[in-house]
Amino acid sequence: MNATPTKSIGAPTDVLALVTATSPWSPAAVAGASLAADFDARLSGCYIDPGLRMLHGGEPEPSVLALLIDPPHENPEDHSSFIALARDAGVHRASWIVTRAGIAQTTRQLGAWHDLIVIERDMVDETVAFDVLGEALLTCRTPCLLLPPSWHGPIRPERVALAWNGSIESIRAIHAALPFLHRASDVVLLDGEAPAYDDEQERAPRFDPAAYLINHGIKSRVRRVHAAPSEAGAALLREVEATKAKLLVMGAYGHSRVRERVLGGATRHILQHVNVPILMQH
């Protein structure tokens, strides 16, 4: 196991859980509480009304649906119940928030003072999931932990898979994952970086993920992933299953800003089919 002090350097101090249900508590609330306890962090629970979850596209004009639904109000019982949930999990600093905005706008605002956001992959309808979640991932500037559908219980990532493709997004994701990696007993670096040729070398200093992990006291084993771009998602998914990883770490996609509102093919495939939590960063 990778050695770590009780409070890891860089560990999140403020964890945000986007809550979709209060009775019983939705998976993000339970997972967020367990993570906050593990990292000795503060926990914020934020409830997003179902009528607001489908909003996307920046600052939307009031829609007919938004005008028809009742504005969400904080329920004192939900507040006290969430504090009790946190306390039972071992979290002693918790707060409860009810948002009146969509997912992207809420995560962008709250992400400014949180270090980790826990999101349920199926908190929005499949038809708009990738637009809504994609916008949130690309604009919140905060590491996001996406829970797969039907996820229940705490997060215990004994084995972590790191998806490396040479992009700046994957570098940010590996950096954000350090607190998890220190607690893992097995770290697998899935190296899918395309080979570079002398005339294609960039001027910026090269990032070596294996050396970076060693410098942080983390031992890893490398598995080379060979796949065409169109098959990258399926290949990565096979590696996650083969290594029996309990957590996947990957960049939140690195396409041009022209397509920022839509997740890339590999990311979309992984989100649709993977059955383990994903730590993502753009």
Side-chain angles (χ1 to χ4, degrees), residues 235-259:
L236 183 56
L237 183 61
R238 288 194 296 269
E239 289 294 332
V240 171
E241 294 173 345
T243 58
K244 295 181 171 58
K246 303 301 182 183
L247 174 69
L248 172 63
V249 176
M250 63 183 296
Y253 117 119
H255 295 279
S256 68
R257 294 188 63 86
V258 175
R259 296 178 60 200

PDB file of all heavy atoms in Angstrom, residues 235-259:
ATOM      1  N   ALA A 235     -11.565   0.255 -25.580  1.00  0.00           N
ATOM      2  CA  ALA A 235     -10.302  -0.311 -25.118  1.00  0.00           C
ATOM      3  C   ALA A 235     -10.043   0.050 -23.657  1.00  0.00           C
ATOM      4  O   ALA A 235      -9.604  -0.789 -22.861  1.00  0.00           O
ATOM      5  CB  ALA A 235      -9.152   0.189 -25.998  1.00  0.00           C
ATOM      6  N   LEU A 236     -10.317   1.292 -23.307  1.00  0.00           N
ATOM      7  CA  LEU A 236     -10.118   1.725 -21.923  1.00  0.00           C
ATOM      8  C   LEU A 236     -11.056   0.984 -20.985  1.00  0.00           C
ATOM      9  O   LEU A 236     -10.662   0.564 -19.885  1.00  0.00           O
ATOM     10  CB  LEU A 236     -10.347   3.230 -21.828  1.00  0.00           C
ATOM     11  CG  LEU A 236     -10.118   3.888 -20.466  1.00  0.00           C
ATOM     12  CD1 LEU A 236      -8.710   3.610 -19.968  1.00  0.00           C
ATOM     13  CD2 LEU A 236     -10.353   5.389 -20.555  1.00  0.00           C
ATOM     14  N   LEU A 237     -12.282   0.791 -21.419  1.00  0.00           N
ATOM     15  CA  LEU A 237     -13.246   0.065 -20.601  1.00  0.00           C
ATOM     16  C   LEU A 237     -12.790  -1.374 -20.367  1.00  0.00           C
ATOM     17  O   LEU A 237     -12.906  -1.899 -19.253  1.00  0.00           O
ATOM     18  CB  LEU A 237     -14.617   0.085 -21.274  1.00  0.00           C
ATOM     19  CG  LEU A 237     -15.766  -0.581 -20.513  1.00  0.00           C
ATOM     20  CD1 LEU A 237     -16.002   0.112 -19.179  1.00  0.00           C
ATOM     21  CD2 LEU A 237     -17.042  -0.571 -21.352  1.00  0.00           C
ATOM     22  N   ARG A 238     -12.243  -2.021 -21.394  1.00  0.00           N
ATOM     23  CA  ARG A 238     -11.735  -3.390 -21.239  1.00  0.00           C
ATOM     24  C   ARG A 238     -10.601  -3.434 -20.225  1.00  0.00           C
ATOM     25  O   ARG A 238     -10.497  -4.379 -19.425  1.00  0.00           O
ATOM     26  CB  ARG A 238     -11.271  -3.936 -22.592  1.00  0.00           C
ATOM     27  CG  ARG A 238     -12.405  -4.261 -23.551  1.00  0.00           C
ATOM     28  CD  ARG A 238     -11.893  -5.103 -24.722  1.00  0.00           C
ATOM     29  NE  ARG A 238     -10.931  -4.367 -25.539  1.00  0.00           N
ATOM     30  CZ  ARG A 238     -11.269  -3.623 -26.596  1.00  0.00           C
ATOM     31  NH1 ARG A 238     -12.551  -3.510 -26.944  1.00  0.00           N
ATOM     32  NH2 ARG A 238     -10.342  -2.998 -27.295  1.00  0.00           N
ATOM     33  N   GLU A 239      -9.740  -2.425 -20.237  1.00  0.00           N
ATOM     34  CA  GLU A 239      -8.625  -2.391 -19.293  1.00  0.00           C
ATOM     35  C   GLU A 239      -9.115  -2.199 -17.860  1.00  0.00           C
ATOM     36  O   GLU A 239      -8.584  -2.802 -16.923  1.00  0.00           O
ATOM     37  CB  GLU A 239      -7.653  -1.277 -19.666  1.00  0.00           C
ATOM     38  CG  GLU A 239      -6.859  -1.537 -20.923  1.00  0.00           C
ATOM     39  CD  GLU A 239      -5.903  -2.709 -20.772  1.00  0.00           C
ATOM     40  OE1 GLU A 239      -5.456  -2.975 -19.643  1.00  0.00           O
ATOM     41  OE2 GLU A 239      -5.636  -3.371 -21.794  1.00  0.00           O
ATOM     42  N   VAL A 240     -10.109  -1.351 -17.681  1.00  0.00           N
ATOM     43  CA  VAL A 240     -10.676  -1.134 -16.346  1.00  0.00           C
ATOM     44  C   VAL A 240     -11.242  -2.439 -15.809  1.00  0.00           C
ATOM     45  O   VAL A 240     -11.045  -2.798 -14.639  1.00  0.00           O
ATOM     46  CB  VAL A 240     -11.760  -0.038 -16.390  1.00  0.00           C
ATOM     47  CG1 VAL A 240     -12.503   0.042 -15.066  1.00  0.00           C
ATOM     48  CG2 VAL A 240     -11.136   1.308 -16.730  1.00  0.00           C
ATOM     49  N   GLU A 241     -11.933  -3.176 -16.656  1.00  0.00           N
ATOM     50  CA  GLU A 241     -12.516  -4.454 -16.235  1.00  0.00           C
ATOM     51  C   GLU A 241     -11.434  -5.495 -15.987  1.00  0.00           C
ATOM     52  O   GLU A 241     -11.512  -6.269 -15.023  1.00  0.00           O
ATOM     53  CB  GLU A 241     -13.509  -4.935 -17.296  1.00  0.00           C
ATOM     54  CG  GLU A 241     -14.727  -4.024 -17.434  1.00  0.00           C
ATOM     55  CD  GLU A 241     -15.615  -4.405 -18.607  1.00  0.00           C
ATOM     56  OE1 GLU A 241     -15.145  -5.184 -19.474  1.00  0.00           O
ATOM     57  OE2 GLU A 241     -16.762  -3.915 -18.665  1.00  0.00           O
ATOM     58  N   ALA A 242     -10.403  -5.521 -16.840  1.00  0.00           N
ATOM     59  CA  ALA A 242      -9.338  -6.514 -16.696  1.00  0.00           C
ATOM     60  C   ALA A 242      -8.532  -6.302 -15.424  1.00  0.00           C
ATOM     61  O   ALA A 242      -8.102  -7.271 -14.777  1.00  0.00           O
ATOM     62  CB  ALA A 242      -8.417  -6.473 -17.915  1.00  0.00           C
ATOM     63  N   THR A 243      -8.305  -5.051 -15.056  1.00  0.00           N
ATOM     64  CA  THR A 243      -7.514  -4.752 -13.856  1.00  0.00           C
ATOM     65  C   THR A 243      -8.349  -4.764 -12.587  1.00  0.00           C
ATOM     66  O   THR A 243      -7.820  -4.629 -11.491  1.00  0.00           O
ATOM     67  CB  THR A 243      -6.839  -3.382 -13.984  1.00  0.00           C
ATOM     68  OG1 THR A 243      -7.835  -2.365 -14.200  1.00  0.00           O
ATOM     69  CG2 THR A 243      -5.857  -3.360 -15.150  1.00  0.00           C
ATOM     70  N   LYS A 244      -9.685  -4.893 -12.740  1.00  0.00           N
ATOM     71  CA  LYS A 244     -10.608  -4.879 -11.596  1.00  0.00           C
ATOM     72  C   LYS A 244     -10.462  -3.599 -10.776  1.00  0.00           C
ATOM     73  O   LYS A 244     -10.504  -3.603  -9.543  1.00  0.00           O
ATOM     74  CB  LYS A 244     -10.402  -6.113 -10.710  1.00  0.00           C
ATOM     75  CG  LYS A 244     -10.745  -7.426 -11.407  1.00  0.00           C
ATOM     76  CD  LYS A 244     -10.534  -8.606 -10.477  1.00  0.00           C
ATOM     77  CE  LYS A 244     -11.086  -9.897 -11.092  1.00  0.00           C
ATOM     78  NZ  LYS A 244     -10.485 -10.230 -12.407  1.00  0.00           N
ATOM     79  N   ALA A 245     -10.277  -2.487 -11.493  1.00  0.00           N
ATOM     80  CA  ALA A 245     -10.139  -1.189 -10.826  1.00  0.00           C
ATOM     81  C   ALA A 245     -11.440  -0.800 -10.138  1.00  0.00           C
ATOM     82  O   ALA A 245     -12.533  -1.083 -10.630  1.00  0.00           O
ATOM     83  CB  ALA A 245      -9.729  -0.118 -11.830  1.00  0.00           C
ATOM     84  N   LYS A 246     -11.315  -0.125  -9.009  1.00  0.00           N
ATOM     85  CA  LYS A 246     -12.473   0.367  -8.261  1.00  0.00           C
ATOM     86  C   LYS A 246     -12.696   1.858  -8.486  1.00  0.00           C
ATOM     87  O   LYS A 246     -13.695   2.412  -8.034  1.00  0.00           O
ATOM     88  CB  LYS A 246     -12.283   0.100  -6.768  1.00  0.00           C
ATOM     89  CG  LYS A 246     -12.056  -1.365  -6.428  1.00  0.00           C
ATOM     90  CD  LYS A 246     -13.222  -2.242  -6.870  1.00  0.00           C
ATOM     91  CE  LYS A 246     -12.994  -3.700  -6.485  1.00  0.00           C
ATOM     92  NZ  LYS A 246     -14.084  -4.572  -6.979  1.00  0.00           N
ATOM     93  N   LEU A 247     -11.743   2.494  -9.163  1.00  0.00           N
ATOM     94  CA  LEU A 247     -11.849   3.916  -9.488  1.00  0.00           C
ATOM     95  C   LEU A 247     -11.079   4.164 -10.772  1.00  0.00           C
ATOM     96  O   LEU A 247      -9.957   3.681 -10.925  1.00  0.00           O
ATOM     97  CB  LEU A 247     -11.289   4.783  -8.362  1.00  0.00           C
ATOM     98  CG  LEU A 247     -11.209   6.301  -8.635  1.00  0.00           C
ATOM     99  CD1 LEU A 247     -12.605   6.910  -8.710  1.00  0.00           C
ATOM    100  CD2 LEU A 247     -10.382   7.001  -7.552  1.00  0.00           C
ATOM    101  N   LEU A 248     -11.678   4.913 -11.695  1.00  0.00           N
ATOM    102  CA  LEU A 248     -11.012   5.317 -12.917  1.00  0.00           C
ATOM    103  C   LEU A 248     -10.747   6.808 -12.866  1.00  0.00           C
ATOM    104  O   LEU A 248     -11.636   7.594 -12.519  1.00  0.00           O
ATOM    105  CB  LEU A 248     -11.879   4.984 -14.134  1.00  0.00           C
ATOM    106  CG  LEU A 248     -11.396   5.525 -15.492  1.00  0.00           C
ATOM    107  CD1 LEU A 248     -10.054   4.920 -15.867  1.00  0.00           C
ATOM    108  CD2 LEU A 248     -12.436   5.258 -16.579  1.00  0.00           C
ATOM    109  N   VAL A 249      -9.537   7.203 -13.215  1.00  0.00           N
ATOM    110  CA  VAL A 249      -9.156   8.614 -13.253  1.00  0.00           C
ATOM    111  C   VAL A 249      -8.878   8.983 -14.707  1.00  0.00           C
ATOM    112  O   VAL A 249      -8.079   8.323 -15.375  1.00  0.00           O
ATOM    113  CB  VAL A 249      -7.902   8.877 -12.395  1.00  0.00           C
ATOM    114  CG1 VAL A 249      -7.461  10.341 -12.523  1.00  0.00           C
ATOM    115  CG2 VAL A 249      -8.161   8.512 -10.939  1.00  0.00           C
ATOM    116  N   MET A 250      -9.541  10.015 -15.200  1.00  0.00           N
ATOM    117  CA  MET A 250      -9.320  10.421 -16.586  1.00  0.00           C
ATOM    118  C   MET A 250      -9.632  11.901 -16.777  1.00  0.00           C
ATOM    119  O   MET A 250     -10.386  12.498 -16.006  1.00  0.00           O
ATOM    120  CB  MET A 250     -10.174   9.580 -17.536  1.00  0.00           C
ATOM    121  CG  MET A 250     -11.676   9.731 -17.362  1.00  0.00           C
ATOM    122  SD  MET A 250     -12.635   8.626 -18.457  1.00  0.00           S
ATOM    123  CE  MET A 250     -12.181   9.254 -20.073  1.00  0.00           C
ATOM    124  N   GLY A 251      -9.035  12.487 -17.806  1.00  0.00           N
ATOM    125  CA  GLY A 251      -9.335  13.867 -18.145  1.00  0.00           C
ATOM    126  C   GLY A 251     -10.744  13.967 -18.687  1.00  0.00           C
ATOM    127  O   GLY A 251     -11.265  13.027 -19.299  1.00  0.00           O
ATOM    128  N   ALA A 252     -11.363  15.122 -18.491  1.00  0.00           N
ATOM    129  CA  ALA A 252     -12.757  15.302 -18.899  1.00  0.00           C
ATOM    130  C   ALA A 252     -12.888  15.644 -20.366  1.00  0.00           C
ATOM    131  O   ALA A 252     -13.814  16.327 -20.748  1.00  0.00           O
ATOM    132  CB  ALA A 252     -13.417  16.388 -18.049  1.00  0.00           C
ATOM    133  N   TYR A 253     -11.947  15.218 -21.157  1.00  0.00           N
ATOM    134  CA  TYR A 253     -11.910  15.293 -22.629  1.00  0.00           C
ATOM    135  C   TYR A 253     -11.201  16.542 -23.093  1.00  0.00           C
ATOM    136  O   TYR A 253     -11.240  17.568 -22.454  1.00  0.00           O
ATOM    137  CB  TYR A 253     -13.314  15.126 -23.202  1.00  0.00           C
ATOM    138  CG  TYR A 253     -13.945  16.255 -23.979  1.00  0.00           C
ATOM    139  CD1 TYR A 253     -14.305  16.065 -25.304  1.00  0.00           C
ATOM    140  CD2 TYR A 253     -14.216  17.482 -23.386  1.00  0.00           C
ATOM    141  CE1 TYR A 253     -14.923  17.068 -26.008  1.00  0.00           C
ATOM    142  CE2 TYR A 253     -14.841  18.486 -24.092  1.00  0.00           C
ATOM    143  CZ  TYR A 253     -15.193  18.282 -25.410  1.00  0.00           C
ATOM    144  OH  TYR A 253     -15.813  19.273 -26.109  1.00  0.00           O
ATOM    145  N   GLY A 254     -10.483  16.402 -24.198  1.00  0.00           N
ATOM    146  CA  GLY A 254      -9.621  17.478 -24.638  1.00  0.00           C
ATOM    147  C   GLY A 254      -9.860  17.959 -26.037  1.00  0.00           C
ATOM    148  O   GLY A 254      -8.912  18.253 -26.742  1.00  0.00           O
ATOM    149  N   HIS A 255     -11.097  18.023 -26.470  1.00  0.00           N
ATOM    150  CA  HIS A 255     -11.384  18.535 -27.806  1.00  0.00           C
ATOM    151  C   HIS A 255     -11.394  20.071 -27.799  1.00  0.00           C
ATOM    152  O   HIS A 255     -11.343  20.705 -26.755  1.00  0.00           O
ATOM    153  CB  HIS A 255     -12.730  18.003 -28.300  1.00  0.00           C
ATOM    154  CG  HIS A 255     -12.733  16.520 -28.498  1.00  0.00           C
ATOM    155  ND1 HIS A 255     -12.234  15.920 -29.620  1.00  0.00           N
ATOM    156  CD2 HIS A 255     -13.157  15.512 -27.691  1.00  0.00           C
ATOM    157  CE1 HIS A 255     -12.360  14.613 -29.515  1.00  0.00           C
ATOM    158  NE2 HIS A 255     -12.917  14.337 -28.354  1.00  0.00           N
ATOM    159  N   SER A 256     -11.488  20.651 -28.968  1.00  0.00           N
ATOM    160  CA  SER A 256     -11.476  22.106 -29.084  1.00  0.00           C
ATOM    161  C   SER A 256     -12.731  22.703 -28.473  1.00  0.00           C
ATOM    162  O   SER A 256     -13.739  22.034 -28.277  1.00  0.00           O
ATOM    163  CB  SER A 256     -11.384  22.510 -30.561  1.00  0.00           C
ATOM    164  OG  SER A 256     -12.576  22.147 -31.223  1.00  0.00           O
ATOM    165  N   ARG A 257     -12.668  23.997 -28.198  1.00  0.00           N
ATOM    166  CA  ARG A 257     -13.787  24.689 -27.570  1.00  0.00           C
ATOM    167  C   ARG A 257     -15.022  24.702 -28.467  1.00  0.00           C
ATOM    168  O   ARG A 257     -16.131  24.944 -27.991  1.00  0.00           O
ATOM    169  CB  ARG A 257     -13.383  26.112 -27.201  1.00  0.00           C
ATOM    170  CG  ARG A 257     -12.321  26.189 -26.124  1.00  0.00           C
ATOM    171  CD  ARG A 257     -12.115  27.627 -25.683  1.00  0.00           C
ATOM    172  NE  ARG A 257     -13.317  28.180 -25.093  1.00  0.00           N
ATOM    173  CZ  ARG A 257     -13.652  28.054 -23.829  1.00  0.00           C
ATOM    174  NH1 ARG A 257     -12.902  27.335 -23.016  1.00  0.00           N
ATOM    175  NH2 ARG A 257     -14.757  28.609 -23.351  1.00  0.00           N
ATOM    176  N   VAL A 258     -14.855  24.443 -29.763  1.00  0.00           N
ATOM    177  CA  VAL A 258     -16.005  24.405 -30.662  1.00  0.00           C
ATOM    178  C   VAL A 258     -16.979  23.324 -30.219  1.00  0.00           C
ATOM    179  O   VAL A 258     -18.186  23.444 -30.370  1.00  0.00           O
ATOM    180  CB  VAL A 258     -15.537  24.147 -32.113  1.00  0.00           C
ATOM    181  CG1 VAL A 258     -16.736  23.985 -33.044  1.00  0.00           C
ATOM    182  CG2 VAL A 258     -14.643  25.283 -32.577  1.00  0.00           C
ATOM    183  N   ARG A 259     -16.443  22.234 -29.609  1.00  0.00           N
ATOM    184  CA  ARG A 259     -17.293  21.116 -29.212  1.00  0.00           C
ATOM    185  C   ARG A 259     -17.336  20.951 -27.701  1.00  0.00           C
ATOM    186  O   ARG A 259     -17.597  19.875 -27.193  1.00  0.00           O
ATOM    187  CB  ARG A 259     -16.769  19.825 -29.859  1.00  0.00           C
ATOM    188  CG  ARG A 259     -16.831  19.833 -31.379  1.00  0.00           C
ATOM    189  CD  ARG A 259     -16.263  18.562 -31.944  1.00  0.00           C
ATOM    190  NE  ARG A 259     -17.013  17.397 -31.452  1.00  0.00           N
ATOM    191  CZ  ARG A 259     -16.536  16.159 -31.466  1.00  0.00           C
ATOM    192  NH1 ARG A 259     -15.353  15.923 -31.941  1.00  0.00           N
ATOM    193  NH2 ARG A 259     -17.277  15.163 -31.022  1.00  0.00           N
TER     194      ARG A 259
END
